[in-house]
Every structure is written in structure tokens, then in C-alpha cells.
Amino acid sequence: MQLTGIHHLTAITANARENLRFYTEVLGLRLVKKTVNQDDTSAYHLFYADRQATPGTDLTFFDWPVGREGRGTHSIARTGLRVAGAGTLAWWKARFTELGVTAGDIAEIDGRASLDFEDGEGQRFRLIDDGGPAPAHPWERSPVPARHQIKGLGPVVLSVPDLTNTALMLVHVMNMAEQRSYVSPDGIGEVHVFSMGQGGPAAELHVAVQPDLPVARQGAGGVHHVAFRTPDVEAMHKWTERLQEFRLPSSGEVERYYFRSLYFREPNGILFEIATDGPGFTADEPLETLGESLALPPFLEPKRAQIEANLKPLK
């Protein structure tokens, strides 16, 4: 029983309009679903991905009126975004300079050419040359040329004060394999690499051990949770049973309409999710028009008028 990689990553924004501008106009991602947080319908839940809304390409955001994240440990510290080739990293470096995006220099991290950058709220990202071919599903209306478009997520970097119990969960409960370690590029601690399924950057979790950092405070520019891929509902049932066998508290299976979810926390308190690959975002919209109107799952559709009245325009 194996997880197959990163499914999506959900972060927090306090400015949905600017968030939409940055992720579509600067990063060139496609808005594939404009919906609401199913547990707080006053907040948008925005999903950005490749043209096909492929699992493993989704960056998602809750729109909450909160202050900035307080950086620290017990958190998801940085999100990897995969691209193809050193030339693509050079192209992005020039683009970030032109557009005034906060970015570092191209450097080798864990054996891969990488470029760190931040969005306008300080969320931390790392573009990574994954050594693969051009993306399979480039978005033809993106301002970014197809050969330079972001291919998907991975790796994702956690910061924890102690590795012991986290490693036990990753290896013995979630069936990941510890592969290697490297010195953290921020100069604080060592990073341990855990892989899922067939491995590779789309299926890696990097855990930085940083006991001297303060405890993070969740807020805008921070990450809410990371989700891992499982193929279908049958596989999800097995993961639910596995958590029960280890007596680990969880949400139980939650029907999100576009996928089914299972939430739990690793020993340092970071929120994990396991999510099914399907049915996907075309469950209620044609592929060609994904993200162009407010989509609501059937159980929220009777409240559409009330929900729309409480949302701020995005443009």
C-alpha cells in the first residue's frame, strides 16, 4: 500500500484578488476551480493547476482575513514547484527580476538546480529542475511559454524540532522510505528526504530538523496542510483502516466532491491529508471552462445566493 506523491498543497491568503493575479499572471498557472471553503463558506477556496487540473499540480488557497504567518518550526516551510531545465530556471530568474518578485539566486540544492522565491505575502517556494521533459499539460492561455511552465508540485519541505516520531510515522505508518539527507540551504539544521511510491521530486517529502527555531504561527503567506495522493476510494478505505490500526486520531473520510479526504496530524502537529485522485474538477464543469464561475458541490448549491452575497469580487 503506497502513496503515489504529493496531491495538493493548501495555503492561506488574506488578499484573494492579488492572489489570483500573482498565481495566474506571474506564475502562469490556470485557475481550475473557484469555490468556497466547505467548512467556512464565507471564504473562497481557489485552486491553481496545469491545463488538465492534474492531481499533483494543485496549489490551493483559503481566503481568510488574518495577519501574516509567523515563521518557525512545526510547519510546512517551503513548497517545491517542478520545471524542466536549467534554461527554464534562468528564464524565471529574469522574469522575477523584471516583475519585482522576491527571489534568490539559482543554486544546487539536494543535487538539483533550484531557485527560491516568495509571493507577495511571503509564502516560500522553490523552483526545481526535475530533469524531465517539458510539461505534459501546458496551459495555452498562460503568459508563460509552454516550455517554461510549472509542471507540478514537489518536493515539500517541513520544519520540525525533532525527527524521531515524525520519521516513525512517515516510514512505519505512511510507508515512505528515508533516502538521504543534506545540509539545509538556510544554514539551520539537516534535511532528511522521504520518498513515496516510485519516488522522484513529485513524490518526496523533505523534513528539516530545526529545534532552535520558534514555533510557527499560522497566517497569510503560510501553508495550512499538504495532501498526499491515493488512487481511489478503495485505497482510501485501506488508509482509514491503517490509521485506526495505529490508533491515530483522524477526521475520518470526508467527501469533498472533487476528491475524498482523510485528515490527521503528524507528531509535531503539522496537518496531513490523504486525497483520492478522482473524480476531479470536471465533475461539475467542462474542462474548457474550469474556474470561470463559482462552483459549489451539490450540498451547498441550495445556499448559492447567500454564499455569493458574502463573497468579495475577485476582479
Side-chain angles (χ1 to χ4, degrees):
M1 191 167 68
Q2 292 285 320
L3 300 166
T4 57
I6 307 295
H7 185 281
H8 68 266
L9 182 128
T10 296
I12 300 168
T13 179
N15 187 336
R17 182 178 295 183
E18 175 58 23
N19 182 272
L20 176 64
R21 185 200 69 81
F22 184 87
Y23 287 90
T24 58
E25 297 180 19
V26 176
L27 294 191
L29 298 172
R30 183 185 185 186
L31 178 66
V32 296
K33 190 62 62 176
K34 179 170 62 174
T35 185
V36 294
N37 182 324
Q38 294 179 10
D39 303 313
D40 173 13
T41 59
S42 69
Y44 281 111
H45 193 179
L46 305 177
F47 292 75
Y48 307 101
D50 68 2
R51 183 189 186 276
Q52 301 289 107
T54 312
T57 71
D58 295 331
L59 267 175
T60 96
F61 289 85
F62 296 144
D63 168 37
W64 287 334
V66 294
R68 288 286 181 91
E69 175 199 33
R71 292 181 178 177
T73 190
H74 295 273
S75 70
I76 298 168
R78 192 173 293 273
T79 303
L81 302 173
R82 295 175 288 106
V83 296
T88 288
L89 287 176
W91 185 90
W92 278 104
K93 175 62 177 176
R95 180 171 178 81
F96 290 155
T97 299
E98 177 187 356
L99 297 178
V101 175
T102 299
D105 295 320
I106 298 171
E108 185 174 299
I109 299 172
D110 188 33
R112 302 184 184 110
S114 306
L115 175 62
D116 289 355
F117 72 97
E118 298 179 6
D119 73 2
E121 292 179 296
Q123 185 171 340
R124 292 168 285 178
F125 291 96
R126 176 170 295 147
L127 290 176
I128 295 167
D129 174 15
D130 69 359
H137 304 297
W139 173 225
E140 60 271 16
R141 287 159 53 187
S142 171
V144 176
R147 67 185 182 278
H148 295 320
Q149 285 184 28
I150 292 166
K151 299 166 65 176
L153 294 166
V156 170
V157 182
L158 311 185
S159 175
V160 302
D162 183 81
L163 181 66
T164 306
N165 290 331
T166 296
L168 286 172
M169 172 177 276
L170 297 181
V171 173
H172 296 290
V173 179
M174 300 177 71
N175 290 333
M176 296 187 192
E178 185 168 3
Q179 300 288 355
R180 60 189 179 276
S181 63
Y182 61 94
V183 176
S184 178
D186 62 9
I188 305 172
E190 190 171 46
V191 183
H192 297 256
V193 177
F194 296 83
S195 67
M196 295 163 269
Q198 296 182 351
E204 286 180 357
L205 192 65
H206 292 202
V207 185
V209 182
Q210 301 174 316
D212 296 329
L213 292 183
V215 176
R217 183 185 69 254
Q218 198 167 79
V223 177
H224 188 268
H225 66 269
V226 61
F228 306 101
R229 294 177 65 178
T230 197
D232 51 36
V233 172
E234 182 179 349
M236 175 67 82
H237 293 336
K238 293 179 181 177
W239 283 109
T240 302
E241 292 169 1
R242 187 166 182 84
L243 293 186
Q244 290 171 346
E245 289 171 6
F246 281 89
R247 298 184 180 180
L248 292 172
S250 79
S251 63
E253 294 179 28
V254 181
E255 181 55 66
R256 295 300 189 193
Y257 187 57
Y258 308 113
F259 44 83
R260 184 170 291 200
S261 298
L262 176 66
Y263 300 90
F264 57 101
R265 293 188 184 274
E266 58 81 43
N268 285 286
I270 299 169
L271 184 60
F272 284 177
E273 175 185 352
I274 295 174
T276 58
D277 281 352
F281 294 125
T282 56
D284 58 355
E285 293 182 292
L287 178 65
E288 292 73 20
T289 58
L290 286 178
E292 293 182 8
S293 59
L294 182 69
L296 297 176
F299 67 89
L300 289 179
E301 191 60 47
K303 300 179 181 179
R304 174 175 287 274
Q306 176 186 348
I307 289 170
E308 288 183 334
N310 288 329
L311 294 173
K312 296 173 289 188
L314 286 176
K315 296 184 180 180

